[in-house]
Amino acid sequence: MNLSRISQMLLTKFNRFHILLMAFAILLVSFISYYQKDFNLPHHYHYEKQKASNGVVLHTMRTTPDNIRLQAIDTNVTKTPFYGINGGFFWEGALLSIAVINDQPLKGLPGDYGSGWYNTGVDTNLKRGTLVWDDIAKHFSIQIVTHAGELSVTDKRHY
């Protein structure tokens, strides 16, 4: 065998290996990109649907508090990748219910109208039951308040 024949055989085996490796990489990337949207969706929840005798259907989702995120959504929720429940009132982009994470409203600054700092009503201030998760105490409560500054939690940086 001459040197050119040996190098040609090695090059052929080298190319086959690399072609197989590239095909595997392409398949892996395709698989990941196809299922990537599902990787970001929540998986640790339990969904139930119950129908009352009067025909009303109640949909519920059960999960742990650390799996819940507050998110301001400016479009129809069915056009988003989120699973969830409408937890407050809104109008024309303004959040009219308390929606805060660690003492920061979801939209804007504390005290801003429509930021999620206030429970807003016709008279601009409305005491309303607000579901609060105290992350330090690991405890839910319902507090009747006008704004987030009135909420009673263990640590304002963790609720």
Side-chain angles (χ1 to χ4, degrees):
M1 253 189 197
N2 63 22
L3 188 57
S4 127
R5 178 80 176 132
I6 292 173
S7 65
Q8 188 176 19
M9 274 180 30
L10 286 175
L11 187 58
T12 304
K13 288 183 181 182
F14 179 78
N15 283 340
R16 285 183 190 153
F17 173 75
H18 278 81
I19 289 171
L20 283 174
L21 187 61
M22 286 183 352
F24 177 74
I26 290 169
L27 270 170
L28 185 62
V29 168
S30 298
F31 175 79
I32 290 171
S33 66
Y34 180 76
Y35 287 103
Q36 185 174 12
K37 61 182 181 232
D38 287 342
F39 291 149
N40 296 327
L41 296 176
H43 294 282
H44 304 290
Y45 70 93
H46 179 73
Y47 169 79
E48 285 186 27
K49 180 168 71 170
Q50 297 290 327
K51 188 173 185 178
S53 59
N54 65 359
V56 173
V57 178
L58 176 66
H59 300 266
T60 63
M61 293 176 72
R62 185 175 21 171
T63 190
T64 58
D66 60 329
N67 198 31
I68 296 173
R69 303 287 181 269
L70 293 181
Q71 180 71 42
I73 301 172
D74 294 326
T75 187
N76 186 313
V77 72
T78 61
K79 295 179 181 177
T80 70
F82 302 112
Y83 290 13
I85 299 166
N86 175 10
F89 298 98
F90 51 91
W91 180 255
E92 295 181 350
L95 296 175
L96 305 179
S97 301
I98 293 176
V100 297
I101 301 170
N102 303 331
D103 226 28
Q104 294 300 310
L106 288 185
K107 296 176 87 173
L109 299 171
D112 287 351
Y113 172 82
S115 67
W117 187 255
Y118 294 100
N119 280 325
T120 304
V122 176
D123 63 355
T124 68
N125 292 311
L126 177 67
K127 285 193 178 227
R128 190 180 302 147
T130 302
L131 181 64
V132 179
W133 171 250
D134 186 326
D135 196 38
I136 300 296
K138 304 292 185 208
H139 177 74
F140 277 114
S141 63
I142 297 178
Q143 300 179 31
I144 300 173
V145 298
T146 303
H147 58 82
E150 298 173 339
L151 295 173
S152 176
V153 291
T154 305
D155 183 345
K156 290 282 189 173
R157 295 169 296 169
H158 297 95
Y159 77 101

